[in-house]
Amino acid sequence: MLHNFFSIFVQSIYLSHMSVNTSSKLNETVSWVGKWTFVLAAAGSAVGLGNIWGFPYKAGTEGGGAFVLIYLLCILAVGLPIMMAEIMIGRRARKSPVNAMKAAAIDSGQTSKWQAVGWGGLVSGILILSFYSVIAGICLNYILIAANPTPDISSLEQFNIVTSSPSRLMFWHSVFIALNIMIISAGVISGIERMVRLLMPMLFILMMVMVVNAMINGDFARGLSFLFAPDFSEVDATTFLRAMGQAFFSLSLGMGSIMCYGSYMPQEENIFKTSLTVAGLDTLIAILAGLAIFPIIFAYGLEPGAGPGLVFVSLLSAFVDMPLGNIVGPAFFALLSIAALSSAISLLEPSVAYFEEEKIVSRFSAALTLGLFAWVIGIGSVLSFNDWSDISFIGDLNFLDSIDYLANQFLMPIGGMMVAIFAGWFLKPDLALDEFSGIHLVIFNIWRFFIKYISPVLVAAVFIYQLVS
Ligand code: PFF
């Protein structure tokens, strides 16, 4: 795995100096230029705010190493088979998720209504982007705050100052959406490929710097045992379900992002090996995030289960006290912002690709319109931190939490389960085998077994659990 990552890294540096002259206008023919670009782009989509904060926090409260072990099982039993199915469907059609699902269905003699799975993905992508951008905007703002912390203000007061100001949140939300529109409208090759080649190695280096910082300034031994000492007494049914949900969200499945990136994957690349590498990198970075955060939390006597304020409130106060904190702090928030940006572009790309492919509007107009759409919905999330904080939308959830709930608890699991059901039960096995060219027959049969019986049942279990709990 490390060897793999090293070669990706070296190639990225090399490729980022290459001039790229492939036009991205003809969407049908677009293909990533660099051999490792699919891996970098898909890992960029997968590694996001969810991993860097969500994984360590859940691992910590759900039994440490026991959770990590169950999480790995979920990645292998559910994440990997669905990821392979998404890439396979995307690459064989070389089209956006809506049309890729339609093509796979028609070629298998099924109804074209399967394209609804693609549509669901487009809708949830825009919905997730709307609130993801507000939180990523806070990360951007914290790069400056951590560089120049205001003396005499506690980090909690600082967090309240940031979130109580709609205009401040709106400003950073707008900056983040604008960055997305710029990257996406530059195209698949000149925008996304160039960005991920630059962002992903930067993210990895910054993560290593943060882990080294945790070794020097943190209580590393305690952080290690908090994350890895398996405590099976904490494990119950919810641990399995949480690990499953985390694996699913973390790999960006059920939304069309990976299917869309798969449609740009060169024909000669091996889908099984690349999926394994992406899932491995996603897990590696999540574990490194835990190693970067918890030693600091312990060394400064902070609360590891502090919830959403963990990185903004707890870590900021640690950075203020730490030697060179005004360098390490901004570096950490830059890392979070980079991870969020490379995830966010994959939320916008599937719908932009559809609009471009159907020749409804140009790539730029599609990116602008859909980005603005997400921006407008995001205003509700900005206000849920302040003016609308008491207004409930779904149940007693505020606007941001309602959108989060709708997209993550409904649209994504249903999308993932439908992809599994389609690939396992409705897609002609020959078509899949054809696209998986080079795959060992034993691995293909294992994949078929999992995508047919194991993955959909496990996703359904999580989905039903969320409905009844
Ligand atoms: N995988 C991202 C994270 O862990 O933060 C979130 C995400 C990005 C989910 C893109 C879905 C997606 F399509």
Side-chain angles (χ1 to χ4, degrees):
M1 173 51 61
L2 276 177
H3 165 77
N4 259 1
F5 196 88
F6 190 69
S7 5
I8 296 171
F9 179 64
V10 171
Q11 290 210 21
S12 315
I13 301 282
Y14 166 73
L15 286 167
S16 60
H17 292 291
M18 266 174 53
S19 67
V20 176
N21 54 14
T22 310
S23 162
S24 63
K25 287 227 170 67
L26 294 170
N27 199 49
E28 300 81 58
T29 60
V30 170
S31 193
W32 303 118
V33 177
K35 181 176 184 304
W36 287 101
T37 306
F38 172 79
V39 169
L40 290 172
S45 166
V47 177
L49 295 173
N51 291 59
I52 298 183
W53 173 80
F55 175 81
Y57 166 66
K58 286 175 198 159
T61 52
E62 296 281 336
F67 176 88
V68 176
L69 210 68
I70 298 167
Y71 175 79
L72 289 177
L73 280 178
C74 292
I75 293 272
L76 289 176
V78 181
L80 199 60
I82 296 184
M83 180 178 271
M84 287 171 68
E86 284 205 21
I87 299 172
M88 177 262 293
I89 293 169
R91 191 175 70 176
R92 70 175 293 280
R94 298 218 154 275
K95 289 195 168 109
S96 70
V98 172
N99 287 324
M101 281 302 294
K102 188 171 161 187
I106 291 174
D107 294 348
S108 299
Q110 306 293 337
T111 164
S112 64
K113 292 204 177 97
W114 279 104
Q115 65 179 290
V117 176
W119 282 109
L122 302 197
V123 173
S124 29
I126 300 294
L127 286 181
I128 295 181
L129 179 62
S130 75
F131 69 82
Y132 211 79
S133 163
V134 175
I135 299 173
I138 300 180
C139 295
L140 284 175
N141 190 186
Y142 262 75
I143 301 177
L144 300 181
I145 293 173
N148 290 303
T150 322
D152 306 328
I153 286 192
S154 76
S155 58
L156 182 62
E157 281 165 332
Q158 180 66 69
F159 186 64
N160 289 336
I161 290 173
V162 172
T163 52
S164 62
S165 161
S167 57
R168 188 199 277 245
L169 292 181
M170 274 311 292
F171 173 76
W172 290 106
H173 167 50
S174 312
V175 169
F176 190 78
I177 289 281
L179 285 173
N180 274 279
I181 294 175
M182 272 158 53
I183 297 173
I184 292 292
S185 53
V188 175
I189 311 295
S190 330
I192 305 177
E193 180 157 353
R194 276 213 174 140
M195 276 329 280
V196 294
R197 277 190 208 144
L198 195 76
L199 293 183
M200 291 314 285
M202 251 163 79
L203 181 110
F204 193 73
I205 291 172
L206 272 177
M207 189 57 94
M208 292 315 259
V209 170
M210 292 307 299
V211 174
V212 171
N213 171 64
M215 286 173 179
I216 298 168
N217 289 316
D219 186 344
F220 205 70
R222 200 154 158 221
L224 267 183
S225 70
F226 183 72
L227 254 186
F228 294 117
D231 178 1
F232 286 95
S233 67
E234 298 277 330
V235 173
D236 55 17
T238 56
T239 313
F240 280 85
L241 298 167
R242 292 238 167 87
M244 227 323 262
Q246 175 67 17
F248 199 65
F249 181 76
S250 187
L251 291 179
S252 306
L253 298 173
M255 308 241 336
S257 291
I258 296 294
M259 195 181 286
C260 189
Y261 278 5
S263 73
Y264 309 134
M265 187 200 247
Q267 202 61 39
E268 62 278 8
E269 279 187 42
N270 181 312
I271 294 179
F272 173 63
K273 282 188 192 155
T274 42
S275 304
L276 206 59
T277 313
V278 171
L281 282 174
D282 187 57
T283 311
L284 177 72
I285 297 203
I287 289 173
L288 288 177
L291 293 179
I293 292 173
F294 284 113
I296 300 294
I297 296 287
F298 289 123
Y300 288 85
L302 304 168
E303 181 47 55
L310 184 79
V311 288
F312 297 118
V313 180
S314 303
L315 277 186
L316 183 69
S317 65
F319 293 141
V320 169
D321 295 338
M322 189 184 284
L324 294 180
N326 58 344
I327 295 172
V328 179
F332 177 79
F333 289 108
L335 171 107
L336 266 182
S337 308
I338 291 170
L341 187 59
S342 60
S343 292
I345 53 180
S346 78
L347 291 163
L348 193 54
E349 177 60 20
S351 35
V352 170
Y354 177 75
F355 273 66
E356 190 192 19
E357 180 175 280
E358 292 289 322
K359 305 204 170 33
I360 300 169
V361 281
S362 70
R363 187 169 180 89
F364 173 70
S365 310
L368 189 66
T369 316
L370 293 160
L372 282 177
F373 202 53
W375 180 80
V376 171
I377 305 173
I379 296 174
S381 293
V382 163
L383 297 177
S384 13
F385 281 105
N386 36 69
D387 296 356
W388 287 5
S389 60
D390 295 330
I391 307 178
S392 307
F393 289 82
I394 299 178
D396 55 0
L397 300 176
N398 66 28
F399 188 84
L400 191 154
D401 294 336
S402 301
I403 299 274
D404 182 13
Y405 177 76
L406 197 69
N408 298 344
Q409 255 92 311
F410 280 89
L411 296 169
M412 281 180 80
I414 293 178
M417 194 171 63
M418 295 309 274
V419 167
I421 292 173
F422 175 75
W425 296 87
F426 295 93
L427 183 81
K428 274 193 189 146
D430 288 356
L431 296 184
L433 187 58
D434 230 30
E435 196 56 46
F436 281 137
S437 60
I439 198 172
H440 198 288
L441 209 58
V442 174
I443 294 178
F444 178 75
N445 286 330
I446 296 176
W447 172 79
R448 284 266 307 154
F449 177 76
F450 271 80
I451 204 78
K452 224 173 159 161
Y453 302 107
I454 310 289
S455 317
V457 172
L458 286 179
V459 178
V462 169
F463 183 56
I464 292 166
Y465 171 79
Q466 279 166 347
L467 280 181
V468 297
S469 63

